């Protein structure tokens, strides 16, 4: 029988390579159920997008992944849900929640700097989606934010509970919530593309597939499904 929506199967380990990799392997071995969450205190090979690294000293930050047994076409929706859940969980801590938001495609920003990253991965052999999230709680690298900047009482395990509750409280259709939380819209941006190509313009929309629509400086409208965005000054 499928678990009821409020049930998460929570697994915790002291150290591992990457919680995303672990859940992908478990999915491929048929060993996990929908809504399994793995949290660790330390990753020795934490992954970002495009094979970049995700760093955190042992015991300082929230490092977790969830396995969702849903169609691959839902991967973008699932990734957006996790980003929004982190935004909601952190906004609850702060009196001025407008300072927490998203940068396309799915970074969580606190006071304009990166607080959390989300990495969605699909197995080539198993069904379902793994969505990992790293939230800086007690430590952040230079130029990034951490939850302890606004609330020093938060623990990684406590924040995970808040994120899961916020995830379950999201509506079925999150498109308007995602757009409302996306601080990229209306901003002048630099989009850094693979191959060290940069383009400049105004981020005007997100389409139904989660792609960013940018009006480039030459007036051309272009959509991006990959790339790193840098927020420049406000476009207005
Ligand atoms: C991300 O990638 O932002 C996705 C990060 C997902 C991490 C979680 S942790 C649990 C789960 N298991 C994993 O193995 N991964 C997921 P990206 O947008 O590519 O950002 C990576 C870049 O952010 C790096 O190249 C660094 O420049 C920077 N970075 C690394 N660690 C950081 C941190 N703790 N805070 C802010 N920036 C960081």
């Amino acid at each position: 029988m499928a678990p009821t929506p409020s049930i998460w199967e929570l697994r915790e380990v002291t150290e591992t390579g990457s919680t995303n990799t672990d859940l992908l392997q478990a999915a491929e071995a048929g060993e996990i159920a929908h809504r399994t969450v793995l949290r660790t205190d330390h990753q020795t090979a934490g992954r970002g997008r495009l094979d970049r690294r995700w760093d955190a000293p042992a015991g300082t930050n929230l490092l977790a992944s969830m396995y969702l047994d849903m169609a691959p076409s839902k991967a973008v929706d699932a990734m957006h849900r996790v980003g929004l859940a982190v935004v909601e969980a952190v906004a609850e801590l702060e009196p001025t929640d407008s300072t927490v938001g998203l940068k396309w495609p799915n970074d969580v920003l606190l006071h304009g700097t990166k607080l959390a990253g989300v990495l969605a991965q699909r197995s080539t052999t198993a069904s379902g989606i793994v969505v990992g999230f790293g939230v800086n709680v007690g430590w952040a690298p230079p130029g990034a934010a951490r939850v302890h900047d606004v609330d020093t009482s938060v623990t990684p395990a406590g924040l995970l509970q808040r994120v899961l509750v916020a995830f379950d409280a999201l509506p079925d259709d999150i498109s308007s919530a995602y757009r409302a939380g996306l601080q990229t819209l209306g901003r002048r941006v630099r989009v850094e593309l693979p191959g060290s190509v940069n383009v400049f313009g105004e981020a005007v929309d997100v389409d139904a597939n989660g792609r960013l629509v940018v009006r480039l400086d030459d007036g051309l409208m272009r959509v991006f499904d990959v790339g790193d965005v840098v927020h420049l000054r406000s476009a207005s």
Side-chain angles (χ1 to χ4, degrees), residues 18-20 43 47-49 52-55 114 117 136 141:
S18 155
T19 54
N20 262 41
Q43 293 185 133
R47 299 187 57 179
R49 294 177 300 140
R52 294 187 288 221
R53 288 189 54 90
W54 187 257
D55 300 316
K114 187 159 176 166
N136 299 328

Side-chain angles (χ1 to χ4, degrees), residues 187-206:
R187 296 290 295 253
R188 179 162 172 76
V189 294
R190 180 172 76 234
V191 185
E192 299 174 346
L193 302 169
S196 303
V197 178
N198 291 341
V199 295
F200 294 83
E202 179 189 352
V204 293
D205 204 358
V206 181

